[in-house]
């Protein structure tokens, strides 16, 4: 018997709008993300400001619209004032998070100017590890106040007459983690975050704020941390953060391919906790989620920061991603979209070199990793409204995440253009899977425009500097709409699919 999975697509049954900020990414001053990643003045492709145009081209092709900056663990020891003003006078600092030398040649103004040129909205984080209210409100004033105050006039003196107008701000990073410089208890952090957020909003009432949730769902304080932090910050913040990295443990690929099931449960647990605080306070506002770090990360292979040698641009966590990793990233994207009613922001961590979709070599080329492709395709095609999908049929038993559907899928519907996009993953490793989706209501009469596939005979195939296009999507998926009005497709084992449907015969 062929394995089959079914669902129904009805444009009347919606989950929520796809917030374009779900296709965010992350630039941290870590390893080679900034230096020899986005910025390398000596590179043949560098622009006048020292940023690599070959990398910028790939960033635009990736389709990310939001970028978080400057960390990550880095931000918890960062003095933003070190990174502004004449570059030659900026201090070299020891970065405690990654035991690196931070030269401060790229700082707030350079980064925000670069981001604007790429069409990216910034999401800035403030240091609530070693610093607090005063440094944070000064940074908002430096960035957003048009002029006429000490901090805004300093920005103008530094050559940036127009305010940067940064709308989205993270109140620290992973403050529950013992590894974090300035780690805090939930009560300590909650109070500080609330008061810092209040002061930042006193400077610019139009900004939006993200409070730190847990560093991951396995933290011993998970759940309690979220509740306690929200009890203190509920009225001040708009979003609560989640972070999750997935990897394959001990050859258990079935569990790895089911990582989306874990992410799904994690989101539901945080929503439940946030809504408990809402109910207990009698609040009207719903807190939305900012999944501002997510990806596949082979953390088990990372030597750990204690063993790092102090260097300017160390090669840190430059994971090379396989076809299987790309399928998992696709499945995580599906999960984020499926929860679009509560997840408003998500950032693939990171953007270049450091666990990234884009790799670059100093003085050399840049290329797309396998995970680049599902991200770029989803960002381009999965827009509009998310439609509800209830998958039935073939299932897979996994060690870590229990029994999961073999098919992971989500559907988006762009009312304006009428376009429908089906994103799908076959989590099975041995068998092809027949997908059958009944198209209802306004979708009857739709036809397949194209069926893009990412799969390979070798699920461990990777892209490298020598073979940068070893793994690329194909357009020969072969999906069709049957005579009885159902979308039918055959999905190879460990595969990612984008099926685009349009009205008309
Ligand atoms: O993205 C790498 C690191 O992972 C970030 O600095 C930190 O926030 C997380 O633990």
């Amino acid at each position: 018997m062929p394995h089959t999975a079914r669902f129904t697509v009805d444009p009347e049954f919606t989950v929520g709008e796809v917030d374009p900020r779900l296709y965010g990414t992350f630039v941290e001053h870590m390893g080679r993300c900034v230096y020899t990643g986005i910025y390398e003045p000596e590179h043949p492709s560098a622009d006048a400001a020292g940023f690599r145009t070959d990398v910028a081209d790939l960033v635009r092709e990736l389709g990310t619209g939001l970028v978080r900056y400057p960390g990550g663990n880095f931000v918890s020891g960062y003095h933003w004032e070190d990174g502004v003003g004449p570059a030659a006078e900026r201090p070299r600092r020891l970065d405690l998070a990654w035991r690196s030398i931070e030269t401060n040649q790229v700082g707030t103004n350079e980064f925000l100017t670069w981001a604007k040129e790429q069409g990216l909205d910034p999401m800035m984080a403030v240091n609530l590890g070693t610093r607090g209210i005063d440094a944070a409100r000064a940074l908002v004033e430096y960035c957003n106040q048009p002029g006429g105050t000490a901090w805004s006039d300093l920005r103008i003196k530094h050559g940036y007459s127009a305010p940067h107008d940064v709308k989205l701000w993270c109140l620290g990073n992973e403050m529950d983690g013992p590894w974090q410089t300035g780690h805090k208890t939930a009560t300590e952090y909650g109070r500080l975050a609330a008061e810092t957020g209040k002061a930042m909003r006193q400077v610019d009432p139009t900004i939006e704020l993200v409070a730190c949730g847990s560093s991951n769902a396995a933290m011993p304080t998970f759940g309690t941390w979220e509740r306690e932090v929200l009890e203190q910050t509920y009225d001040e913040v708009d979003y609560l953060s989640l972070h999750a990295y997935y990897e394959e443990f001990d050859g258990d690929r079935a569990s790895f391919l089911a990582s989306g099931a874990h992410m799904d449960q994690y989101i539901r647990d945080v929503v439940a906790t946030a809504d408990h605080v809402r109910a207990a306070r009698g609040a009207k506002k719903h807190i939305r989620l900012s999944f501002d770090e997510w990806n596949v990360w082979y953390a088990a292979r990372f030597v750990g920061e204690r063993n790092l040698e102090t260097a300017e641009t160390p090669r840190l966590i430059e994971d090379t991603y396989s076809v299987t990793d790309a399928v998992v990233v696709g499945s995580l994207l599906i999960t984020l979209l499926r929860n679009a009613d509560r997840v408003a922001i998500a950032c693939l961590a990171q953007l270049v070199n450091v666990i990234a979709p884009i790799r670059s070599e100093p003085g050399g080329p840049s290329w797309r990793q396998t995970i680049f492709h599902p991200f770029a395709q989803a960002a381009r095609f999965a827009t509009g409204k998310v439609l509800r999908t209830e998958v039935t049929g073939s299932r897979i038993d996994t060690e870590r995440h229990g029994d999961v559907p073999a098919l992971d899928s989500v559907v988006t519907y762009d009312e304006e253009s009428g376009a429908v996009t089906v994103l799908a993953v076959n989590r099975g490793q041995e068998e092809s899977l027949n997908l059958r989706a009944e198209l209802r209501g306004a979708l009857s009469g739709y036809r397949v425009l194209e069926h893009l596939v990412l799969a390979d005979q070798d699920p461990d195939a990777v892209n490298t500097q020598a073979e940068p296009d070893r793994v690329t999507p194909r357009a020969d998926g072969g999906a069709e709409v049957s005579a009885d009005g159902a979308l039918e497709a055959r999905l190879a084992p460990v595969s990612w699919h984008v099926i685009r449907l349009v009205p008309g015969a």
Side-chain angles (χ1 to χ4, degrees):
M1 274 290 285
H3 293 252
T4 300
R6 291 188 174 77
F7 58 91
T8 299
V9 190
D10 190 322
E12 298 293 322
F13 297 160
T14 60
V15 175
E17 290 287 332
V18 180
D19 191 320
R21 297 176 302 174
L22 284 175
Y23 301 118
T25 47
F26 176 32
V27 167
E28 177 167 9
H29 281 253
M30 173 180 179
R32 299 192 311 108
C33 188
V34 174
Y35 305 109
T36 73
I38 59 171
Y39 175 84
E40 189 180 345
E42 304 78 23
H43 194 272
S45 82
D47 64 14
F51 286 86
R52 286 180 64 153
T53 56
D54 63 329
V55 171
D57 288 347
L58 288 177
V59 170
R60 283 196 302 278
E61 186 186 321
L62 185 67
T64 177
L66 174 85
V67 65
R68 183 167 172 253
Y69 176 85
N73 296 342
F74 170 81
V75 81
S76 296
Y78 184 47
H79 278 228
W80 67 265
E81 300 90 327
D82 291 346
V84 297
E89 292 168 23
R90 296 184 193 174
R92 290 165 61 82
R93 296 272 187 210
L94 178 63
D95 156 40
L96 302 181
W98 306 110
R99 286 205 64 79
S100 307
I101 300 290
E102 174 53 54
T103 63
N104 284 303
Q105 292 307 289
V106 172
T108 302
N109 292 315
E110 291 83 13
F111 176 77
L112 292 175
T113 304
W114 175 82
K116 192 169 184 193
E117 282 168 8
Q118 310 322 315
L120 298 168
D121 285 332
M123 179 189 197
M124 294 274 282
V126 297
N127 175 355
L128 292 191
T130 60
R131 307 189 81 188
I133 302 171
D134 206 38
R137 61 128 191 163
L139 179 57
V140 177
E141 189 180 315
Y142 183 91
C143 288
N144 288 8
Q145 174 78 18
T149 65
W151 288 115
S152 57
D153 286 345
L154 185 64
R155 183 199 69 239
I156 294 167
K157 188 174 155 206
H158 289 158
Y160 298 85
S161 53
H164 294 301
D165 212 13
V166 178
K167 288 291 172 221
L168 193 54
W169 295 83
C170 302
L171 296 163
N173 175 72
E174 296 190 350
M175 297 310 302
D176 62 323
W179 59 86
Q180 201 70 216
T181 311
H183 161 233
K184 291 174 174 55
T185 64
T187 312
E188 289 166 346
Y189 170 70
R191 283 284 300 137
L192 179 61
E195 290 304 318
T196 305
K198 191 172 88 188
M200 291 165 74
R201 260 208 245 269
Q202 282 170 338
V203 177
D204 182 349
T206 70
I207 62 174
E208 291 194 303
L209 297 169
V210 185
C212 289
S214 296
S215 303
N216 59 69
M219 295 299 288
T221 49
F222 176 57
T224 316
W225 172 277
E226 278 75 5
R227 178 177 53 75
E228 290 183 11
V229 166
L230 283 180
E231 278 167 358
Q232 313 244 16
T233 60
Y234 206 91
D235 297 335
E236 298 298 341
V237 305
D238 305 283
Y239 308 96
L240 185 67
S241 76
L242 296 83
H243 290 181
Y245 293 101
Y246 296 95
E247 63 187 301
E248 183 178 316
F249 292 103
D250 307 322
D252 180 4
R253 189 155 292 186
S255 294
F256 179 49
L257 284 160
S259 298
H262 178 275
M263 182 188 247
D264 209 55
Q265 184 60 55
Y266 179 16
I267 291 169
R268 275 186 269 137
D269 287 346
V270 176
V271 166
T273 309
D275 287 352
H276 162 74
V277 178
R278 176 179 179 269
R281 297 173 70 83
K284 284 211 166 63
K285 169 175 91 177
H286 280 99
I287 294 287
R288 290 189 294 158
L289 308 190
S290 172
F291 217 122
D292 45 46
E293 287 187 35
W294 69 272
N295 202 349
V296 170
W297 173 6
Y298 287 89
R301 296 179 198 157
F302 180 42
V303 289
E305 61 259 46
R306 297 281 158 257
N307 300 330
L308 298 179
E309 284 182 27
T310 308
E312 268 184 33
T313 48
R315 285 183 184 265
L316 295 183
I317 56 172
E318 298 191 4
D319 288 7
T320 297
Y321 292 115
S322 68
V323 170
T324 305
D325 297 328
V327 170
V328 171
V329 162
S331 180
L332 297 173
L333 278 162
I334 288 171
T335 307
L336 291 166
L337 286 163
R338 195 189 292 123
N339 289 283
D341 53 337
R342 292 305 287 268
V343 183
I345 298 163
C347 301
L348 178 71
Q350 300 187 3
L351 184 57
V352 186
N353 290 328
V354 177
I355 44 171
I358 299 169
R359 286 282 291 272
S360 68
E361 275 302 307
S366 52
W367 66 95
R368 303 165 193 81
Q369 292 235 58
T370 58
I371 64 168
F372 182 102
H373 297 294
F375 188 99
Q377 291 174 330
R380 185 157 171 214
F381 299 124
T383 57
K385 286 182 186 329
V386 175
L387 303 184
R388 202 164 287 285
T389 42
E390 294 293 339
V391 173
T392 58
S394 191
R395 299 186 72 85
I396 295 171
D397 193 28
T398 71
E399 189 80 22
R400 283 174 172 260
H401 312 305
D403 178 51
V404 300
L407 173 71
D408 195 14
S409 187
V410 76
V411 181
T412 60
Y413 175 47
D414 191 325
E415 266 177 319
E416 221 171 284
S417 65
V420 168
T421 301
V422 178
L423 304 181
V425 154
N426 178 4
R427 290 168 163 151
Q429 298 180 69
E430 310 297 337
E431 312 280 346
S432 288
L433 184 64
N434 291 334
L435 174 155
R436 188 177 153 88
E438 195 190 322
L439 304 176
R440 279 206 189 148
L443 304 188
S444 57
Y446 267 52
R447 66 181 172 86
V448 174
L449 179 67
E450 63 178 343
H451 177 178
L452 307 164
V453 183
L454 193 85
D456 201 282
Q457 289 298 329
D458 176 6
D460 295 318
V462 297
N463 291 339
T464 59
Q465 181 177 356
E467 249 191 310
D469 295 319
R470 164 70 182 79
V471 179
T472 51
R474 304 184 319 258
D476 60 354
E480 285 177 348
V481 175
S482 63
D484 62 349
L487 170 67
E488 293 187 334
R490 197 170 170 82
L491 316 184
V494 191
S495 57
W496 155 260
H497 303 260
V498 180
I499 305 171
R500 298 177 60 212
L501 298 158
V502 288

